[in-house]
Amino acid sequence: MTSRVESAAATRRALIEAAAELLDEGGPDAVTLRAVGARAGVSRGAPYGHFPDKEHLLAAVATKSWEAIGEQLDTLVADEHRPPAERLEQALRGLMAVGRGHPHAYGLMFTAPTGEHPDAVAAVSRTHDRFLQLVTDVVGDAERARPIGALLMTSVHGIIAMENNGHLTVEKWNTTGDGLIRALIDRIA
Amino acid sequence: MTSRVESAAATRRALIEAAAELLDEGGPDAVTLRAVGARAGVSRGAPYGHFPDKEHLLAAVATKSWEAIGEQLDTLVADEHRPPAERLEQALRGLMAVGRGHPHAYGLMFTAPTGEHPDAVAAVSRTHDRFLQLVTDVVGDAERARPIGALLMTSVHGIIAMENNGHLTVEKWNTTGDGLIRALIDRIA
DNA sequence: GTGGTTCGTATGACAACGTCAGATGAACTG
DNA sequence: CAGTTCATCTGACGTTGTCATACGAACCAC
């Protein structure tokens, strides 16, 4: 662990993890380069040895979140015992669980300007591909699955976003995020 | 116009409008209290005579956006010549137009922590009520319209959000935001 | 009118932030 | 062992949100 490249890689990982933790605990405002450095055990300017600026660090955090969801979907794709429809529903509910458990991280995933960050774009693309595979397993045809998957993905994202921002109250809409997922599956997939 | 209360109210309006313009033109980072003051013709500390802090100013901007959409829906509700389904579709496409034309303002509408800002909450509630009226005109029963309206609202929001963040590409999903709106109406309403 | 009060605005100051330039020291290379 | 590399530290700068203070014109009683 005392090798220079190993130590640098460990520091880089620690910075990303520290930023993710601070984001989870205190929201975007808590993610200060000084606080990130402190939690990672380095000082305030250390991130600039690994990232051009703060935005790239946050993009790395978002990439990690996308990859985590991708792996989650991967295990669902591989689980061939269960019926495809059940796996797809599990995927949608898994997305909601992430959005609820880590609302700030979830927001970051859809906030980072993706165009400037190829790694993030690739991670998003891979995750979306796995999601489309799950949809394909349900509807049969891969080409037909694409717009259907888009409708499912955008709708679930909208449900999570409005739930996290307090715009989805039971008093107003007489339903919950879970209920909307159910309705979505019944009407679309 | 030289009355003190009139002048103060004009300044307040100018501050909100200046913030909205800066948000439209340069995104959230361009909305600096100094820049807002300069554009409104006052100085950097003037906003504190009208808002407790920057967040409340932004909440006022979001409130204005919600009210603008509310009025837009209002004219649709009142337009009884056209069939209800057509008016509902027009409402959904109007939401998309706002999201496309003013992406930063649209993001702010769903970003402001609504709990702390009663005016914003009220504006959102009124706008949602008008949307639910349009849904009721289509499905007939007001109670049945509520969860259906929720599914429509969250889905459209998800479509707009993913489109604005570049996560809704034709290459990946083989559809567009407009196509998804069409599919949404066909399958839900 | 006139004097005193109110209150919207201007100004100076402060801490915190992102960012960069230079210094430091330990891991590498020959 | 001498020289280089490079991750990290430290000091500094401009900008930001925010507050305390000061000013001055609109207000109000008489």
Side-chain angles (χ1 to χ4, degrees):
Chain A
M1 237 275 280
T2 46
S3 153
R4 192 153 64 181
V5 300
E6 287 174 3
S7 163
T11 300
R12 186 191 153 95
R13 272 193 302 273
L15 287 168
I16 295 175
E17 190 168 355
E21 290 174 7
L22 288 166
L23 183 65
D24 260 8
E25 297 168 9
D29 291 350
V31 185
T32 296
L33 284 186
R34 287 162 166 82
V36 170
R39 179 168 297 219
V42 292
S43 84
R44 61 186 192 275
Y48 287 91
H50 302 272
F51 306 96
D53 54 17
K54 184 184 182 181
E55 190 184 292
H56 281 75
L57 168 59
L58 293 178
V61 174
T63 301
K64 208 190 65 167
S65 300
W66 276 108
E67 285 171 350
I69 292 185
E71 292 174 14
Q72 184 175 321
L73 296 183
D74 234 356
T75 69
L76 279 172
V77 170
D79 185 6
E80 299 183 359
H81 311 145
R82 303 164 63 188
E86 189 180 316
R87 287 183 284 160
L88 177 58
E89 175 169 352
Q90 189 72 18
L92 299 182
R93 300 207 180 275
L95 286 175
M96 273 207 75
V98 172
R100 285 171 169 165
H102 309 276
H104 298 298
Y106 184 83
L108 178 65
M109 290 168 57
F110 289 87
T111 285
T114 53
E116 307 283 335
H117 307 279
D119 290 355
V121 172
V124 173
S125 183
R126 277 194 303 270
T127 299
H128 282 165
D129 283 338
R130 277 154 191 167
F131 179 75
L132 279 178
Q133 181 59 52
L134 286 169
V135 180
T136 302
D137 291 346
V138 172
V139 305
D141 180 42
E143 207 52 36
R144 227 169 61 83
R146 290 168 72 199
I148 294 177
L151 192 51
L152 287 173
M153 193 68 174
T154 54
S155 296
V156 170
H157 172 53
I159 293 168
I160 298 172
M162 282 189 59
E163 192 178 83
N164 276 347
N165 288 311
H167 287 273
L168 187 60
T169 60
V170 183
E171 300 80 36
K172 174 66 69 178
W173 305 100
N174 195 28
T175 186
T176 64
D178 297 293
L180 289 176
I181 295 279
R182 167 92 277 127
L184 199 62
I185 291 174
D186 291 344
R187 293 174 183 259
I188 309 246
Chain B
M1 234 275 280
T2 45
S3 154
R4 191 155 64 184
V5 299
E6 287 174 4
S7 163
T11 301
R12 185 191 155 95
R13 273 193 302 271
L15 287 168
I16 296 175
E17 189 168 356
E21 291 174 7
L22 288 167
L23 183 65
D24 260 10
E25 297 168 10
D29 291 350
V31 185
T32 296
L33 284 186
R34 285 161 169 83
V36 171
R39 180 168 296 220
V42 292
S43 85
R44 59 187 194 274
Y48 287 91
H50 300 272
F51 307 95
D53 54 17
K54 184 184 181 181
E55 191 184 291
H56 281 75
L57 168 59
L58 293 178
V61 174
T63 301
K64 208 190 64 167
S65 300
W66 277 108
E67 285 172 348
I69 291 184
E71 292 174 13
Q72 183 175 322
L73 295 183
D74 233 356
T75 69
L76 280 172
V77 170
D79 185 5
E80 299 182 359
H81 311 146
R82 302 164 63 188
E86 189 180 317
R87 287 183 284 161
L88 177 58
E89 176 169 353
Q90 188 73 18
L92 299 181
R93 300 205 181 277
L95 287 175
M96 273 206 75
V98 172
R100 284 171 170 166
H102 309 276
H104 299 298
Y106 183 83
L108 177 65
M109 289 169 58
F110 290 86
T111 285
T114 53
E116 307 284 332
H117 306 279
D119 290 355
V121 172
V124 173
S125 183
R126 278 195 302 271
T127 299
H128 283 166
D129 282 339
R130 278 154 190 166
F131 179 75
L132 280 178
Q133 182 58 54
L134 286 169
V135 180
T136 301
D137 291 346
V138 171
V139 305
D141 181 41
E143 208 53 35
R144 226 169 62 82
R146 290 168 72 198
I148 295 177
L151 192 51
L152 287 173
M153 194 68 174
T154 54
S155 297
V156 170
H157 172 54
I159 293 168
I160 296 172
M162 283 189 59
E163 191 177 84
N164 277 347
N165 288 311
H167 288 272
L168 187 60
T169 61
V170 183
E171 301 80 36
K172 173 68 68 178
W173 304 99
N174 195 30
T175 186
T176 64
D178 297 293
L180 289 176
I181 295 278
R182 167 92 276 124
L184 199 62
I185 292 175
D186 291 344
R187 291 170 183 264
I188 308 239

